[in-house]
Amino acid sequence: MFKRIPGTRDILPQEMSMWHALEQAARRIFSLYNYAEIRPPIIEEAKLFDRSLGEFAEIVQKQMFVIKHGEDTYALRPEGTASIVRAYIENNLDKAAGFFKVYYMGPMFRLERPQKGRQRQFHHIGCEAIGSSAPGIDVEVIALADALLKEMHISGYRIVLNSLGCLEDKLALTEILKKDLAAQRGDLCQECQSRFDKNILRILDCKNDACKEIVKGINIGDRYLCADCKVHFTSVKEGLDALGVVYTVSPHLVRGLDYYTRTVFEIKHDSLGAQDAIGAGGRYDNLVEELGGEKTASVGFAFGVERLLLVASEIPVVAPEKLIYIVSMGDAARYFSIILAHNLRRDGFRVDMDYEGKSLKGAMRKANDESAEVVLIVGDNELAKQSVMLKDMRVSQQREVPVANLGDELKKTFATS
Ligand code: HAM
């Protein structure tokens, strides 16, 4: 017996309507904000992620699914932003499109210790706006994330906002933290002690209680932000206020990926416990240049679909077309039914049938299990008259209908439901 790899899931047919509802809500909102879909490959050169996320980022150090093939090292993508920036540069989209707004949906892979809301294969719904440093775009992207959650009928979330500043400001913040934390370095958790030299910003959002206490004691404020980055951050906050998007500012929000500069945000849902981020994003004004393109300011976000599903209680699911089930008695009637099903499907009806020659009772039970609204019964009698017995399952009434009128009769039946 083969089993799923830990941290992966089979998304079963009965769960699919929720997935479709989320995806449809996302597509609708992305379209309203004029984002077009992009589908980069799931497998990339591993170096792309080392470069983008930072070689000391936890994802790169511990969580990448790496595949060695001869001289080459590939990785299953742990996130989408790096691939999209690669695609932007490789396809010369900077020349073709200038400002480029795209969205994406699909699986991501991180070799994490699985737990509730944390999987090794999970899915992102995200977007990237590449080509502008205007604070209005940060506002658009955060407002879009908020609109998406509202469209999905998700409530009870908090948007947490911060600015990391430009590269120089990030260095200044690093220096401030090195100075302020030096005396307590030995009291930090093991992980944070090793972060001290390589990735000190991450100490700010460590979940360990001792680290949280130590960090609470330092007054970070916005003293590391340069004048331009302060103006940018103020404009983003003013823009969100003007749109009525509710957020809180936290100087402790730093994010785990190296590419972020200026605005960063996380959307948290307290019902989720330790893994409380349902989505996150921010600016990455140097990444295009870092990966070989022109300097191009950009911003984006990604939601974790599995976490959205954990907090979504009442997504309006789009009902499928009503189902017609054909039951036939005898080989000749079954042959006739196969053609009938084919023709009805061609005319836009949703049709299934019994191919196995079940008894009338067995076939009716199957129709019931499939929630068919109409059953068409075909026997020798009907076959001779080129008609079918149309049974309306909701009222348990049946009538004989000539095949020539069947389309109209079905439409009439469904119209009265
Ligand atoms: P991220 O915070 O690493 O950001 O991932 C975004 C979201 O994916 C998280 O908030 C969470 O909901 C979900 N997620 C992450 N890891 C897992 C996991 N192991 N299992 C289940 N869900 C998970 C990014 O990936 C950035 N690329 C976002 C971005 C786009 N920034 C700018 N543009």
Side-chain angles (χ1 to χ4, degrees):
M1 275 283 277
F2 291 106
K3 293 243 159 93
R4 282 178 278 117
I5 293 172
T8 65
R9 287 196 56 229
D10 298 308
I11 305 160
L12 298 172
Q14 61 265 31
E15 299 169 71
M16 224 57 231
S17 57
M18 291 288 270
W19 282 77
H20 287 165
L22 277 195
E23 288 164 4
Q24 274 173 22
R27 284 183 200 287
R28 196 179 110 73
I29 297 297
F30 282 130
S31 161
L32 294 182
Y33 284 76
N34 199 28
Y35 286 66
E37 188 173 1
I38 186 168
R39 296 189 192 184
I42 284 167
I43 187 162
E44 296 271 4
E45 260 190 82
K47 270 201 208 111
L48 171 68
F49 302 109
D50 300 351
R51 257 299 177 81
S52 308
L53 315 185
E55 58 177 322
F56 296 121
E58 253 149 61
I59 297 180
V60 168
Q61 290 232 311
K62 301 187 199 155
Q63 298 172 352
M64 267 207 320
F65 277 94
V66 170
I67 303 159
K68 293 222 183 275
H69 179 69
E71 297 285 284
D72 300 319
T73 309
Y74 305 135
L76 295 183
R77 64 179 183 191
E79 60 106 55
T81 311
S83 295
I84 284 159
V85 170
R86 197 250 331 115
Y88 175 79
I89 300 168
E90 188 172 349
N91 295 290
N92 296 317
L93 297 174
D94 49 340
K95 277 133 208 133
F99 187 38
F100 180 64
K101 301 207 294 187
V102 283
Y103 76 89
Y104 51 96
M105 301 179 181
M108 305 290 158
F109 304 85
R110 296 185 192 175
L111 198 44
E112 304 203 66
R113 196 166 45 77
Q115 63 181 81
K116 183 183 166 209
R118 192 160 77 181
Q119 294 174 213
R120 290 177 171 171
Q121 179 178 336
F122 59 97
H123 294 75
H124 270 173
I125 290 180
C127 68
E128 313 294 345
I130 302 181
S132 173
S133 60
I137 303 298
D138 308 45
V139 174
E140 174 175 291
V141 161
I142 298 170
L144 196 171
D146 189 48
L148 229 144
L149 291 171
K150 294 201 161 85
E151 181 78 3
M152 294 170 178
H153 293 243
I154 292 173
S155 56
Y157 57 89
R158 295 181 287 125
I159 302 176
V160 185
L161 188 68
N162 192 19
S163 174
L164 299 175
C166 54
L167 285 181
E168 291 75 27
D169 297 352
K170 278 173 84 176
L171 283 178
L173 176 58
T174 303
E175 288 312 311
I176 288 174
L177 292 179
K178 280 201 167 144
K179 217 160 102 228
D180 288 7
L181 289 171
Q184 299 159 88
R185 183 171 178 168
D187 302 328
L188 294 166
C189 73
Q190 280 302 322
E191 185 94 49
C192 282
Q193 295 201 21
S194 63
R195 284 172 176 154
F196 197 94
D197 293 318
K198 296 176 196 154
N199 201 1
I200 196 164
L201 298 190
R202 282 321 298 273
I203 297 178
L204 289 181
D205 66 358
C206 178
K207 299 251 158 63
N208 179 290
D209 287 337
C211 299
K212 272 197 212 158
E213 264 318 294
I214 292 170
V215 161
K216 237 194 247 167
I218 39 180
N219 176 21
I220 307 165
D222 63 358
R223 61 194 152 124
Y224 58 91
L225 287 183
C226 67
D228 279 356
C229 288
K230 269 188 191 151
V231 169
H232 183 96
F233 194 31
T234 303
S235 304
V236 173
K237 289 184 282 188
E238 284 173 358
L240 291 173
D241 292 340
L243 299 186
V245 176
V246 181
Y247 61 89
T248 53
V249 173
S250 167
H252 290 178
L253 178 70
V254 289
R255 309 280 299 126
L257 314 174
D258 259 15
Y259 54 58
Y260 288 116
T261 49
R262 290 194 162 171
T263 312
V264 285
F265 63 99
E266 223 164 65
I267 306 181
K268 294 174 183 280
H269 205 287
D270 293 332
S271 71
L272 287 183
Q275 307 303 320
D276 62 353
I278 53 175
R283 275 208 161 270
Y284 44 97
D285 290 345
N286 302 297
L287 184 59
V288 179
E289 193 180 18
E290 184 65 32
L291 296 181
E294 306 265 314
K295 187 166 166 64
T296 312
S298 312
V299 57
F301 70 78
F303 280 114
V305 180
E306 285 78 0
R307 293 191 194 171
L308 290 178
L309 286 167
L310 286 172
V311 299
S313 47
E314 39 150 346
I315 313 171
V317 168
V318 183
E321 295 288 321
K322 290 168 179 157
L323 181 68
I324 299 161
Y325 198 86
I326 308 180
V327 173
S328 47
M329 303 292 116
D331 289 343
R334 193 153 36 260
Y335 180 72
F336 174 79
S337 297
I338 290 172
I339 296 166
L340 184 61
H342 178 76
N343 291 343
L344 286 172
R345 287 167 180 153
R346 195 194 48 204
D347 292 344
F349 292 102
R350 181 170 162 239
V351 184
D352 206 347
M353 63 175 282
D354 168 46
Y355 290 97
E356 291 170 341
K358 283 194 176 74
S359 68
L360 182 59
K361 202 169 153 210
M364 290 306 284
R365 195 177 313 123
K366 177 71 179 155
N368 218 16
D369 291 348
E370 294 284 345
S371 307
E373 303 236 350
V374 163
V375 173
L376 303 179
I377 304 163
V378 188
D380 289 341
N381 245 342
E382 287 79 18
L383 195 54
K385 292 195 264 173
Q386 287 290 297
S387 66
V388 299
M389 200 56 82
L390 186 158
K391 180 164 183 177
D392 184 338
M393 297 290 274
R394 294 152 307 169
V395 289
S396 246
Q397 281 171 1
Q398 60 184 46
R399 61 187 192 276
E400 194 172 343
V401 174
V403 169
N405 301 348
L406 188 54
D408 289 343
E409 287 297 319
L410 284 167
K411 279 185 198 143
K412 236 191 272 168
T413 308
F414 290 146
T416 58
S417 65

